Amino acid sequence: MGTEHFHEESPDLLAAVLDRSNLKRAYDRVLRNKGVAGVDGMTVDDLKAHLRSHWLKHREAILNGCYEPQPVRKVEIPKSGGGKRQLGIPTVLDSITEYLESVLKLKVNRDKSDVGRPWERVFQETV
């Protein structure tokens, strides 16, 4: 996920997605998933205090199109048939941002799907 995903949408829609209620849902989701620390070492236990102190700065970076996600932490996990597979662990803050991006995509897709549905069009009779 990069800045181009958020920055392409209208500022009003983006600001709506970044509101407190969506942030709360994103935080609850990351907490529920028991996300582990990424490259920055921040745990879900540290996240609430971090958001209280730094959310407005993070939000502004997204709104201004200069948000840059952190690199993912690479871990190897065992496969059931033997061997290992690589897994990328984002920071917990980037997990919040990824959730907000999914909300934005859902909102945009819903808005686009409401436009131009043939069965909802009103047809004008020609004379």
Side-chain angles (χ1 to χ4, degrees):
M1 172 182 67
T3 57
E4 67 279 354
H5 297 294
F6 278 117
H7 194 61
E8 290 172 355
E9 303 308 331
S10 82
D12 294 336
L13 177 59
L14 184 53
V17 168
L18 295 173
D19 76 2
R20 186 173 176 81
S21 64
N22 285 327
L23 175 60
K24 171 104 173 77
R25 276 188 229 118
Y27 172 79
D28 289 344
R29 180 174 171 241
V30 170
L31 204 62
R32 196 172 43 252
N33 289 344
K34 299 176 184 152
V36 297
V39 295
D40 62 356
M42 185 187 314
T43 66
V44 291
D45 295 333
D46 303 328
L47 185 58
K48 191 172 197 173
H50 180 83
L51 288 172
R52 282 189 176 144
S53 300
H54 301 283
W55 171 247
L56 292 179
K57 181 180 169 187
H58 186 69
R59 183 181 187 273
E60 283 304 309
I62 294 170
L63 287 171
N64 293 329
C66 57
Y67 166 72
E68 288 290 330
Q70 296 289 313
V72 294
R73 182 171 64 115
K74 183 176 88 172
V75 296
E76 290 184 341
I77 59 173
K79 292 168 61 173
S80 59
K84 296 183 179 191
R85 75 175 180 99
Q86 291 184 358
L87 184 66
I89 308 290
T91 65
V92 290
L93 187 58
D94 286 341
S95 293
I96 294 259
T97 308
E98 287 173 1
Y99 175 81
L100 293 171
E101 181 183 31
S102 71
V103 170
L104 178 62
K105 285 180 180 177
L106 182 62
K107 174 70 176 141
V108 168
N109 288 337
R110 281 185 181 158
D111 289 350
K112 286 180 181 175
S113 70
D114 286 342
V115 177
R117 289 185 174 164
W119 55 89
E120 293 179 352
R121 289 188 185 144
V122 176
F123 293 94
Q124 182 178 8
E125 289 185 23
T126 57
V127 196

